[in-house]
Amino acid sequence: SVAKVEHGDYLTDLIAAEIAALETLARSVPQADIDQAADMIFEARRLFVFGQGHAQSVAGFLQRRLDRFGMTTIALTGRGRDIAERMVGMDGSDVVIALAFRKQPQSYAPLVRHAVRTGARVILISDLAGPLMEPAADLMLAAPRGRSGSEFQTPTIPFAMVNGIVLTIAGRHEREIIGRLEKLSELFNDFD
């Protein structure tokens, strides 16, 4: 990636690559899929948010946004045993949101198998590796994160997908979400 930049214009090259990746995202993930993800998340009793490696930053961002909406989230991070401990109570009213990029994480398959056994639904947010991940999720949102799999892979694409889901939840369930955000604002005032 660095070798292809002319005259040290790294920021200019990065901006052009980000714009191209965002344009590809617009063609790769339809709003109907974002709507479906938003509704699945809104209707869930609990949300199990899975992310390892570079996906952890996006997973943490998503979890914080969902917490602000008054949703119950459980972070599935760490080693397999740590993840297993947090999944014991999972049931059919829950949704797993898995974020995985480049290759399938070792904990992904046992997580999805357990979700299927319990009746929980699974949303996968991924890149070009998403269609190769097994078992398949109930809903997959996947888009390339750069020019090729071997070059710089931008975090902008999964962040944009997550932000799209968050905004769609707020737009499609505005009355409930605004009420929860107002309650959060009151709590902020109490804690300040």
Side-chain angles (χ1 to χ4, degrees):
S1 297
V2 173
K4 294 180 180 180
V5 176
E6 293 184 24
H7 311 296
D9 289 333
Y10 299 106
L11 180 60
T12 301
D13 184 72
L14 175 66
I15 291 168
E18 297 280 322
I19 290 169
L22 287 166
E23 289 171 344
T24 301
L25 170 60
R27 293 187 302 272
S28 300
V29 178
Q31 182 63 46
D33 289 354
I34 298 290
D35 293 348
Q36 184 180 353
D39 291 345
M40 288 170 67
I41 290 168
F42 183 77
E43 294 163 3
R45 182 172 65 100
R46 289 176 304 185
L47 300 158
F48 290 82
V49 182
F50 171 79
Q52 296 183 322
H54 290 297
Q56 274 186 283
S57 59
V58 183
F61 174 81
L62 174 60
Q63 183 177 6
R64 185 155 191 176
R65 292 294 185 197
L66 297 176
D67 286 345
R68 286 177 167 227
F69 284 175
M71 298 177 175
T72 302
T73 62
I74 298 165
L76 299 178
T77 57
R79 295 184 342 227
R81 289 169 125 350
D82 299 324
I83 292 168
E85 288 174 359
R86 293 184 203 108
M87 294 173 32
V88 172
M90 185 183 290
D91 64 35
S93 63
D94 299 325
V95 167
V96 173
I97 307 166
L99 295 103
F101 314 124
R102 281 195 180 261
K103 65 178 188 170
Q104 180 168 316
Q106 186 174 356
S107 297
Y108 175 82
L111 166 64
V112 175
R113 285 194 302 265
H114 180 72
V116 169
R117 281 193 301 271
T118 65
R121 298 189 326 171
V122 179
I123 299 168
L124 172 61
I125 298 171
S126 190
D127 52 17
L128 295 174
L132 305 174
M133 294 191 194
E134 291 289 333
D138 296 292
L139 176 63
M140 180 182 58
L141 308 174
R145 294 187 303 127
R147 294 179 185 125
S148 74
S150 63
E151 292 184 40
F152 174 72
Q153 298 292 294
T154 179
T156 300
I157 298 309
F159 271 113
M161 284 191 268
V162 163
N163 272 328
I165 292 168
V166 168
L167 289 170
T168 301
I169 292 169
R172 289 173 68 87
H173 306 281
E174 184 175 355
R175 187 175 25 154
E176 296 93 336
I177 296 301
I178 295 301
R180 293 174 188 177
L181 289 173
E182 287 172 352
K183 187 183 293 183
L184 176 62
S185 181
E186 292 169 12
L187 285 167
F188 282 163
N189 288 336
D190 287 345
F191 279 87
D192 284 344

